Amino acid sequence: MREIPVENITRAIRDLSIRANTDLGADVLDAFHRSLETETSPVGKEILERLIENAAIAHQEKIPICQDTGMAVVFVEMGQDVHVVGGDLKEAIHEGVRQGYRDGYLRKSVCHPLSRQNTGDNTPAIIHFDVVAGDGFKLVVTPKGFGSENMSRVTMLAPAEGFSGIRNYVVNRVKAAGPNPCPPTTIGVGIGGTLERAAFLAKKALLRPLGSENPDPELAALEKDWLQEINRLGIGPQGLGGRTTALGVHIIAAPCHIASISLAVNIQCHASRHKEIAL
Amino acid sequence: MTESIRLTTPLKTSDLEKLHIGDRVFISGMLYSTRDAAHLRLFQLLAENKPLPFDIQGHIIYYMGPSPARPGKPIGAAGPTSSYRMDAYAPALIARGLKGMIGKGARNQAVKDAMKRYRAVYFAAIGGAGALISKCILSSEVIAYPELGTEAVRRLKVESFPVLVANDVHGRDLYEEGIKAYAC
């Protein structure tokens, strides 16, 4: 049984929270550069250039890429042969978020849903645990901004709606979101499972690097088709018109009930942030 | 993007009459940053006919809640937040003399009607460009509701803050027209 002290987990979450908010991934920057070549709107092109400049300033000066440093969403992939020692695992993760958001000068955006009283330290984090074989321990921190989260939706379609029903829902959701989620966006799509499973899969789909191919060839083809359809909407960077509405569509599918197609669309703004570590 | 125009706050109606959607504008002077929670309070003050904690006459509200400033810096990341959440409150503020709003994303018809009627303009800043925009903010001071944290009302001194005219006093909308022009 491999032992991992909780202090290591807290430290890792602290560092990942800060890095995720200040270092935009190379996959996102590459996608910006690719879009610059295909974007035909002069305003759209200029916005893409400013986003590249923004990421450089954030990296150099350790200023958050976006002032909305999000709710801290944490994915934990934990080997069943790992023993976490020295404290409570969930509390260690929350403490890492607390420290990271304090030490990194990140915005505390978490409040009580009814009183709207801010918790003051950006906790609680949203934590997803996945227990896997072996003794590995992987942490992913993905700060989720709510300009784009607010534009995300879950729905339950009837099986009769089929492929075209799913595709229409996804494309229409992006159209309805328009300028609000800070395009160019990444569209996470979860198809199948139950209501909450679809939403989880849509969020998880956003973690796949931009520009990478879906390992399932059927889903890979759908992703290309839907991305083209979305980029024909004309929404463009910041919704001011253009050909770059989304940088990618990422789908994860799972078996569902015979009576239903659970479907979630999780929209991610251009600041697609996530950092991971294996302890 | 037809022209580059420099404006200094407080704005004059004659400045605004000349602006058209797509114009690139650099704003200097004082701005007031507020967002959801403070807007609700301002709206309640207006409803009760009480004075606001700052003079909005001719001024611009920037929809923004910054990240904390690092030591020695005036502000942290400071990009715009989604404006539609302030649509419920904006017409009342425009009717009372607010001349400009800076944010991101489209406005509803009631806000557009108020802008046309009372001659006010909505400017779009680049959403998510919080690090870049922080560079044109010279100072930041909380002037009301400090207990709201990032949502407190701030007075910001800005120099050449870059924006685009998204809704002008002539009733045009850059979001609608821009998207229509590129849909295919």
Side-chain angles (χ1 to χ4, degrees):
Chain A
M1 185 72 78
R2 187 173 157 238
E3 292 195 341
I4 299 181
V6 284
E7 304 90 80
N8 296 7
I9 294 166
T10 294
R11 199 177 316 118
I13 295 286
R14 174 199 175 275
D15 295 348
L16 292 173
S17 299
I18 297 173
R19 280 178 47 221
N21 273 298
T22 50
D23 283 338
L24 196 59
D27 61 327
V28 185
L29 283 167
D30 288 347
F32 288 164
H33 284 287
R34 279 197 302 277
S35 301
L36 267 177
E37 289 165 22
T38 51
E39 181 54 66
T40 53
S41 153
V43 174
K45 262 186 190 309
E46 185 179 332
I47 289 166
L48 290 166
E49 281 166 2
R50 293 290 89 79
L51 294 182
I52 293 166
E53 197 184 334
N54 182 62
I57 293 170
H59 174 75
Q60 283 155 17
E61 304 192 19
K62 301 283 169 249
I63 302 172
I65 295 156
C66 175
Q67 72 289 339
D68 185 357
T69 50
M71 277 192 100
V73 181
V74 179
F75 288 81
V76 183
E77 197 181 278
M78 184 173 174
Q80 64 187 24
D81 299 330
V82 167
H83 185 200
V84 173
V85 295
D88 180 276
L89 170 57
K90 281 185 197 165
E91 180 43 36
I93 293 170
H94 294 312
E95 180 57 23
V97 167
R98 211 169 274 135
Q99 291 180 13
Y101 276 69
R102 179 194 66 206
D103 298 348
Y105 295 88
L106 307 176
R107 196 178 81 181
K108 289 79 180 171
S109 309
V110 178
C111 69
H112 188 280
L114 301 177
S115 74
R116 311 304 295 176
Q117 180 72 41
N118 199 298
T119 63
D121 59 9
N122 223 53
T123 66
I126 306 295
I127 309 173
H128 301 295
F129 289 102
D130 188 12
V131 178
V132 297
D135 65 357
F137 192 93
K138 193 173 105 174
L139 294 168
V140 184
V141 174
T142 177
K144 188 67 177 79
F146 267 59
S148 56
E149 194 76 349
N150 277 342
M151 293 295 117
S152 304
R153 293 290 184 275
V154 183
T155 191
M156 310 300 281
L157 302 180
E161 299 192 60
F163 267 122
S164 65
I166 299 170
R167 168 185 153 136
N168 290 347
Y169 186 85
V170 173
V171 174
N172 285 333
R173 188 58 225 147
V174 177
K175 187 176 181 182
N180 293 328
C182 278
T185 51
T186 306
I187 312 301
V189 181
I191 310 173
T194 49
L195 177 99
E196 83 283 7
R197 188 70 183 163
F200 169 79
L201 294 176
K203 175 82 73 201
K204 195 174 178 188
L206 294 172
L207 298 179
R208 208 180 90 212
L210 276 163
S212 64
E213 179 113 345
N214 195 313
D216 178 329
E218 191 182 15
L219 296 182
L222 291 181
E223 289 181 354
K224 288 194 183 92
D225 175 32
W226 297 358
L227 179 61
Q228 276 188 7
E229 190 78 7
I230 286 165
N231 283 332
R232 277 199 287 268
L233 294 172
I235 295 168
Q238 291 295 309
L240 293 165
R243 298 287 158 80
T244 319
T245 300
L247 301 170
V249 175
H250 292 180
I251 307 172
I252 300 181
C256 64
H257 192 277
I258 50 174
S260 185
I261 307 170
S262 327
L263 174 62
V265 182
N266 198 175
I267 303 183
Q268 169 59 52
C269 67
H270 61 73
S272 180
R273 298 159 288 183
H274 41 92
K275 290 281 184 262
E276 60 180 69
I277 191 169
L279 291 182
Chain B
M1 250 183 306
T2 48
E3 286 183 67
S4 282
I5 299 163
R6 294 192 169 271
L7 288 180
T8 303
T9 62
L11 302 174
K12 294 187 284 291
T13 305
S14 59
D15 294 333
L16 299 180
E17 297 285 347
K18 290 176 211 152
L19 296 180
H20 295 91
I21 57 166
D23 286 347
R24 184 208 304 253
V25 178
F26 293 95
I27 297 169
S28 297
M30 295 295 181
L31 303 178
Y32 294 93
S33 73
T34 88
R35 40 172 294 153
D36 308 59
H39 259 81
L40 176 60
R41 295 195 188 185
L42 299 177
F43 188 68
Q44 284 165 343
L45 289 174
L46 288 182
E48 294 162 12
N49 260 321
K50 289 182 180 159
L52 298 178
F54 59 99
D55 181 18
I56 58 171
Q57 201 64 41
H59 275 285
I60 298 178
I61 287 181
Y62 178 26
Y63 300 140
M64 188 274 292
S67 64
R70 283 188 174 272
K73 302 277 184 185
I75 204 159
T81 197
S82 299
S83 305
Y84 73 90
R85 296 197 318 269
M86 267 54 75
D87 281 356
Y89 315 119
L93 292 163
I94 293 168
R96 281 282 287 263
L98 181 70
K99 282 292 166 198
M101 295 155 285
I102 302 174
K104 70 172 177 84
R107 311 308 301 269
N108 72 12
Q109 196 55 47
V111 181
K112 292 193 236 181
D113 291 345
M115 283 191 274
K116 198 174 169 191
R117 178 169 174 201
Y118 296 102
R119 317 314 269 175
V121 167
Y122 171 51
F123 301 101
I126 301 182
L132 180 71
I133 292 174
S134 73
K135 293 289 164 190
C136 59
I137 299 175
L138 308 180
S139 69
S140 161
E141 175 198 1
V142 172
I143 58 159
Y145 315 137
E147 67 280 10
L148 293 181
T150 187
E151 297 206 75
V153 178
R154 286 174 169 77
R155 184 187 287 126
L156 308 174
K157 188 172 182 213
V158 300
E159 177 72 40
S160 299
F161 185 115
V163 292
L164 287 172
V165 176
N167 290 96
D168 58 27
V169 300
H170 313 290
R172 290 179 68 194
D173 184 335
L174 179 62
Y175 288 104
E176 275 179 15
E177 295 188 28
I179 292 170
K180 218 173 276 172
Y182 286 92
C184 55

